[in-house]
Structures are given as C-alpha cells and as structure tokens.
Amino acid sequence: MTARRGLLIILSSPSGAGKSTMSKLLCSWDPSISFSVSATTRIPRQGEIDGQDYHFLTEAGFKQKVSAGKMLEHAQVFGHYYGSPLEPVETSISAGRDVLFDIDWQGAQQIQNSVLGQHTLSIFLLPPSIDELHRRLVSRGQDNDEVIAKRMQKSWDEISHWNEYDYVLVNDDLVETAERLKAIVSVTRLRRVQQPDLNAHVMRLQAEFEDRS
C-alpha cells in the first residue's frame, strides 16, 4: 500500500459556529488525528503540563524560534505570544499522522504560506444565521452579556475571510456537517501530494513497460 503523508487540517469559524464540537467529533472519528500543541510565553496555570497542554517558553526563546523559522504561525494576544511549533508537526505528518489546528483566519493564512503549506487542508464553518449564532453563544452559558457582545462583534471579521479557505460548510445540522467534514478529510488524504511513494511506483510501471517493449 502506498504510504501517506499527513495533513495539516485547519478548522476555523466565528465563536459559536461549532469549531470546537467539530474538532472533537473529527478526533473521535479517527483517534490518530491529534491537536497541535501550541507554544506560549504565558505562565502555566495550575494543573497544566508542559508539552501536553502547551509548550511553555520564555519570550526570548519564543522569539528565537520565530526568527529561526521554527514556528508555523504565531501571534501576540493580551501581552503573551502564542504559536504552533514546526518540528512536532513536521514529525507527525512525515509519519502519516494528521494534525488538527483550531485557529483563526490569521493563523490559517500563516500556515498556508509556511513551508508545509502544500499539505494543508483548510475548512471554514459558517453559522446558518446570525440570530442562531447569538443563540448558541447565549445557550452555552459560559460568558456574560458583555463578552457575548464582543464575540458577536468579532464574528463578522472572522466570517469575512470565508473565501480564503479550501472548503466552507454551513453548520446547520451537526450530524450532516460532521459527515461532510469526514468526507472532505478522507478524499484530501488521497491528494497526489500526500502520497510520496507514487513517483517511485510510476517509475516501476515505466520500467515494466519498457521491459515489455
């Protein structure tokens, strides 16, 4: 069987459109898919484990990795740096394991323009309506009215980048959207660039053809 190179699966959406739910469903469907473990310069919270929850770095160490091209994407959020280290992702996809990124459009752009860009699969989730998006944020019961208002305000900025993704799904039905997501991942795994042994196979076919001549 032809070996497969792993995918960098990028999943983005405005808050409340189902990104976290779809990420969990995708990993349940195929446990070999792993979440990318981000690096950060913030102090570990109680119970967080280095290398499992985050890769905790000093600011100097983080900036050195960025300068050396060892971060697929990075951003500064509330005074701390966050990013996706290149090396563990490269190791995973070389072994044929897909890596899932739950990130916004800015991080998605950086990864798509990175050295591993040809192996990315980017998917954007749209809500069925703005009213439904608001209803979902309220029903989660996680945020107060002020935070919900900020999330709603930010949602249009996120949605405005929908056409920068390979696939866009309207998440109006959880089961149907999950099935479409799985179908997209399955077919993209067969993309020519994900099958590094194809060239050698074609060369063998050519040699066999010439032997018959």
Side-chain angles (χ1 to χ4, degrees), residues 119-134:
H119 300 295
T120 61
L121 164 61
S122 61
I123 304 160
F124 194 88
L125 297 175
L126 287 170
S129 69
I130 298 301
D131 284 344
E132 175 61 17
L133 183 66
H134 183 265

Side-chain angles (χ1 to χ4, degrees), residues 23-95:
S23 296
K24 292 174 183 176
L25 287 172
L26 196 59
C27 290
S28 295
W29 168 65
D30 186 346
S32 71
I33 299 174
S34 61
F35 273 100
S36 172
V37 178
S38 297
T40 183
T41 59
R42 73 163 173 77
I43 301 299
R45 299 190 181 109
Q46 186 174 2
E48 288 184 329
I49 301 172
D50 184 33
Q52 179 176 313
D53 298 292
Y54 284 95
H55 298 288
F56 294 100
L57 304 174
T58 63
E59 186 169 320
F62 191 101
K63 289 181 176 179
Q64 191 279 328
K65 284 185 177 292
V66 171
S67 298
K70 294 183 178 180
M71 286 287 180
L72 282 167
E73 57 86 25
H74 67 280
Q76 189 175 17
V77 182
F78 300 124
H80 299 293
Y81 289 95
Y82 293 84
S84 301
L86 169 64
E87 188 175 352
V89 175
E90 208 164 28
T91 298
S92 291
I93 68 168
S94 293

